[in-house]
Amino acid sequence: MVRATFRFYEELNDFLPSERRQRAFDCECARAATAKHMIEALGVPHTEVELLLVNGESVGFGRLLADGDRVAVYPKFESLDISSLLKVRDQPLRRLRFIADVHLGGLARLLRMSGFDTLYDTHFDDQEIAETAARDGRIVLTRDRELLKRRLVDHGCYIRARKPAQQLRELFGRLDLAGSARPFSLCLHCNVPLRPIDREEARERLPSRIGCSYPRFMYCDSCRRLFWEGTHWRSMRALLAPLLEQLGGDPPP
Ligand SMILES: [Zn+2]
């Protein structure tokens, strides 16, 4: 029989029952269990794990556990550069694209507003989300840890916050999104690129009650919606500005 000792660090403890938090504990492992299998059996989705040490050595998820192994499991580090140690995934994602589960519609809109390609549809079920994420190389966003444990899901984020603005802040911090944000470049409804249009073209498309004095207009060729720099745009900009400044990205236009 294989017995290993586990210690989970930082917010990974949120997934454990209270008697296993912030301390080392012993656990019996199934025969030929991999580190990934055991971590998930203990309740922690593998997508939340960034670094895995077995007996002090950085290993991949596929490592078979042996009797007496000491397993230390770390989440994504916010500020410590550990890139040379990372071995759990072969390929980091280069381009950040997301797929949000049905409960994260508010976050999906805020991500699109920030310029991040984010699929969201209330009709997606968990299997479709997992398949689409695997096919397109998208990061799964969810508050459902079972979804993150699916075999097909390689990159995912368990969202802890409950309100969309806080969820956006959480994700920006966790994935360092500020540098890649392109505010007001995607349609909030269709997730496709917006096209800047001039005042003349906007004049033809604007509802008559709206003046034409706004400085910028963007148009969605898919849903034929026009976006202009009015009150709604400004309140969204106010929401984004602190995120971008705090994290060193460009201020929104
Ligand atoms: Zn659109």
Side-chain angles (χ1 to χ4, degrees):
M1 182 178 323
V2 171
R3 280 187 82 79
T5 305
F6 291 82
R7 171 71 160 92
F8 290 82
Y9 288 86
E10 309 295 339
E11 65 265 27
L12 294 182
N13 284 281
D14 299 350
F15 295 105
L16 300 176
S18 55
E19 68 273 15
R20 287 180 163 171
R21 289 180 189 167
Q22 314 288 356
R23 59 186 289 273
F25 58 89
D26 287 354
C27 187
E28 263 175 36
C29 308
R31 260 176 70 83
T34 62
K36 177 181 171 185
H37 173 90
M38 281 310 298
I39 287 168
E40 297 213 313
L42 290 167
V44 180
H46 73 277
T47 54
E48 300 304 290
V49 175
E50 194 68 31
L51 174 65
L52 191 53
L53 302 181
V54 173
N55 306 323
E57 218 177 89
S58 176
V59 300
F61 278 133
R63 165 69 178 255
L64 292 176
L65 295 179
D67 198 35
D69 275 349
R70 298 186 63 84
V71 184
V73 191
Y74 296 87
K76 158 98 178 167
F77 288 85
E78 301 294 352
S79 52
L80 188 60
D81 181 9
I82 53 163
S83 45
S84 61
L85 279 173
L86 298 183
K87 281 195 183 161
V88 285
R89 285 175 205 92
D90 295 337
Q91 288 289 326
L93 290 176
R94 289 272 165 256
R95 196 167 148 226
L96 290 172
R97 298 194 298 172
F98 301 97
I99 182 165
D101 83 4
V102 292
H103 303 293
L104 296 176
L107 175 61
R109 277 171 61 91
L110 291 178
L111 280 168
R112 289 173 182 174
M113 178 190 83
S114 313
F116 293 103
D117 177 344
T118 306
L119 287 186
Y120 168 79
D121 191 312
T122 50
H123 297 102
F124 286 159
D125 63 27
D126 284 1
Q127 182 61 20
E128 276 176 289
I129 290 175
E131 284 171 4
T132 307
R135 190 182 60 234
D136 296 358
R138 290 176 182 271
I139 298 171
V140 175
L141 304 175
T142 183
R143 287 180 46 77
D144 172 6
R145 69 170 91 172
E146 295 309 314
L147 173 53
L148 293 181
K149 287 183 187 176
R150 283 177 178 251
R151 188 180 49 79
L152 279 174
V153 176
D154 205 15
H155 297 265
C157 273
Y158 180 79
I159 302 291
R160 289 174 170 74
R162 294 183 181 273
K163 296 199 169 137
Q166 290 165 0
Q167 291 169 342
L168 186 72
R169 199 168 301 131
E170 178 185 334
L171 201 58
F172 262 65
R174 185 168 166 189
L175 300 182
D176 287 333
L177 294 184
S180 335
R182 300 285 173 270
F184 308 108
S185 59
L186 290 182
C187 178
L188 305 187
H189 305 274
C190 312
N191 196 41
V192 300
L194 291 173
R195 178 166 64 84
I197 60 172
D198 61 24
R199 195 162 295 180
E200 278 315 301
E201 192 179 346
R203 197 188 302 275
E204 294 161 22
R205 304 180 190 278
L206 268 176
S208 54
R209 63 191 165 79
I210 306 291
C212 236
S213 56
Y214 296 105
R216 285 212 302 158
F217 298 92
M218 304 288 271
Y219 186 68
C220 175
D221 287 308
S222 169
C223 68
R224 300 172 184 271
R225 280 186 173 91
L226 181 66
F227 297 84
W228 61 89
E229 203 167 338
T231 326
H232 189 49
W233 186 318
R234 280 198 293 272
S235 63
M236 288 191 165
R237 191 164 57 183
L239 174 75
L240 272 184
L243 291 180
L244 299 183
E245 277 165 24
Q246 187 188 329
L247 294 152
D250 294 328

